[in-house]
Amino acid sequence: ATGSAAAEPIDESDQAYITPVTIGTPPQTLELDVDTGSSDLWVFSSHTPPSQIHGQQIYSPNKSSTAKLLEGHTWSITYGDGSASRGNVYIDNFTVGGLTAEKQAVQCAQQVSASFTRETHVDGLIGLGFSTLNTVSPKSQLTFFDNVKSGLDSPVFTADLKHGAAGTYDFGFVDKAKYSGEITYVPVNPDPGYWAFNSSGYAIGSGKFSASAITGIADTGTSLLYLPTAIVTAYYRQVEGATNSRTYGGYVFPCSSSLPSFTFGVADARITIPSAYINYAPITPGSSTCFGGLQSSSGVGINIFGDVALKAAFVVFNGGSPPTIGWAQK
Ligand SMILES: Cc1nn(C)c(C)c1CC(=O)Nc1ccccn1
């Protein structure tokens, strides 16, 4: 089997991408944020306090004839940026891009933090990290990918995210039409539960490539690219008027500044992020001060190749044994 689903940016800065899914019988449609940086599939639901719902679509298990409460199980997750959610668990049919997991654990939110409430277009997350990270207790649950993997033509899913346009998540196949040149595969360390890999170095604009092993995670659920401070300060030294703002929590610069591109290595391959992707967004709508799409990972604790990096490439998440990750230009 194979599947293919759209990944729509929720706003003009591609802060997140949403993918339509259906849950239960009759099917209830929600739009979820595919997140390779976590492994919980959770949704706004009929169990979410109305005061915490601000335009999101909800899943009502009591309206699904195939929903079954997973008795005595709860979940609670806190993301690196401090956002959080928690709740109970139902088992139901879950379909993405024409692919159905019959008995998918659908985690219903009974509490979401303010930043999730503010994100009106995001009805929940589909965690596609390794199932070891799943927070359901007392028995942890499998991700959608792990539930459908054995039935896929190939045990893979791919991300083709775009800047300001709809991209796709494909399951079970690698679409040659979506990339140029070759895909370079590198090992993944599944132990932390993330798609962790080593980048081979970086270059700023047309500068020389600096070889250095940078361990990071490929995280579709994080907007920006977070790298070591030394790399980030070297980058913004080339940006007129850039400063590291404590007020805004990162590097900002005049929106009119011209920015260099940023290239990262994957083994001997090179992925170049166009400068436009690094001019991420005005700090507040209409401001002439812009926030950078490349920020330091020192406050994060881990290097994160988020959407700013991912949308410059075609990425293969290979769930075979051993797992690997493939990067191609497009
Ligand atoms: C932005 C950020 N800061 N720090 C410290 C980390 C670890 C992140 C990444 C992050 O939290 N991603 C996220 C947030 C919500 C849902 C899914 N993924």
Side-chain angles (χ1 to χ4, degrees):
T2 63
S4 194
E8 288 265 358
I10 63 168
D11 60 20
E12 58 285 353
S13 49
D14 310 330
Q15 187 205 343
Y17 294 84
I18 48 175
T19 293
V21 308
T22 60
I23 314 173
T25 312
Q28 299 177 41
T29 299
L30 276 69
E31 291 168 308
L32 307 183
D33 180 1
V34 170
D35 179 18
T36 56
S38 68
S39 306
D40 282 35
L41 191 170
W42 70 264
V43 293
F44 277 75
S45 74
S46 48
H47 295 277
T48 312
S51 63
Q52 296 178 16
I53 303 175
H54 185 222
Q56 289 83 2
Q57 302 168 99
I58 65 167
Y59 165 59
S60 302
N62 58 348
K63 291 184 183 159
S64 170
S65 60
T66 41
K68 290 185 181 47
L69 175 69
L70 191 59
E71 300 254 353
H73 284 69
T74 58
W75 60 281
S76 175
I77 191 166
T78 301
Y79 298 93
D81 65 354
S83 58
S85 52
R86 62 179 168 81
N88 56 16
V89 188
Y90 285 79
I91 304 295
D92 208 343
N93 304 332
F94 184 90
T95 299
V96 187
L99 267 182
T100 297
E102 301 286 312
K103 298 187 176 353
Q104 177 65 47
V106 180
Q107 299 170 218
C108 291
Q110 293 176 296
Q111 170 78 36
V112 301
S113 63
S115 63
F116 283 121
T117 299
R118 275 198 300 273
E119 211 64 88
T120 54
H121 302 287
V122 176
D123 305 330
L125 267 63
I126 311 174
L128 294 187
F130 291 86
S131 293
T132 47
L133 280 186
N134 180 264
T135 74
V136 174
S137 169
K139 291 200 186 79
S140 86
Q141 301 298 303
L142 295 181
T143 65
F144 170 74
F145 180 56
D146 276 351
N147 276 327
V148 301
K149 184 156 63 168
S150 58
L152 294 177
D153 292 9
S154 174
V156 304
F157 65 93
T158 68
D160 177 21
L161 300 180
K162 293 176 189 279
H163 175 46
T168 46
Y169 287 110
D170 292 334
F171 296 87
F173 72 107
V174 175
D175 185 346
K176 285 191 170 317
K178 291 194 169 113
Y179 62 92
S180 58
E182 300 296 314
I183 301 174
T184 299
Y185 288 90
V186 292
V188 159
N189 172 14
D191 299 350
Y194 305 112
W195 291 89
F197 71 101
N198 279 335
S199 165
S200 52
Y202 71 97
I204 297 169
S206 55
K208 66 174 183 4
F209 184 79
S210 174
S212 70
I214 304 164
T215 299
I217 66 171
D219 183 357
T220 57
T222 291
S223 314
L224 308 183
L225 169 57
Y226 295 89
L227 290 177
T229 301
I231 297 176
V232 178
T233 43
Y235 178 86
Y236 286 109
R237 255 204 296 279
Q238 299 199 18
V239 177
E240 192 91 29
T243 59
N244 191 0
S245 159
R246 236 177 303 287
T247 313
Y248 296 107
Y251 280 90
V252 300
F253 44 81
C255 298
S256 56
S257 299
S258 68
L259 299 170
S261 61
F262 184 84
T263 297
F264 62 95
V266 178
D268 45 14
R270 302 286 180 263
I271 302 294
T272 296
I273 304 171
S275 58
Y277 295 12
I278 302 178
N279 193 334
Y280 177 66
I283 47 172
T284 48
S287 167
S288 65
T289 302
C290 278
F291 196 76
L294 169 62
Q295 295 294 343
S296 168
S297 60
S298 55
V300 175
I302 184 172
N303 297 310
I304 303 180
F305 292 81
D307 299 331
V308 160
L310 296 169
K311 63 189 166 183
F314 176 78
V315 188
V316 183
F317 295 82
N318 168 28
S321 45
T324 61
I325 187 166
W327 296 80
Q329 296 180 331
K330 61 188 183 190

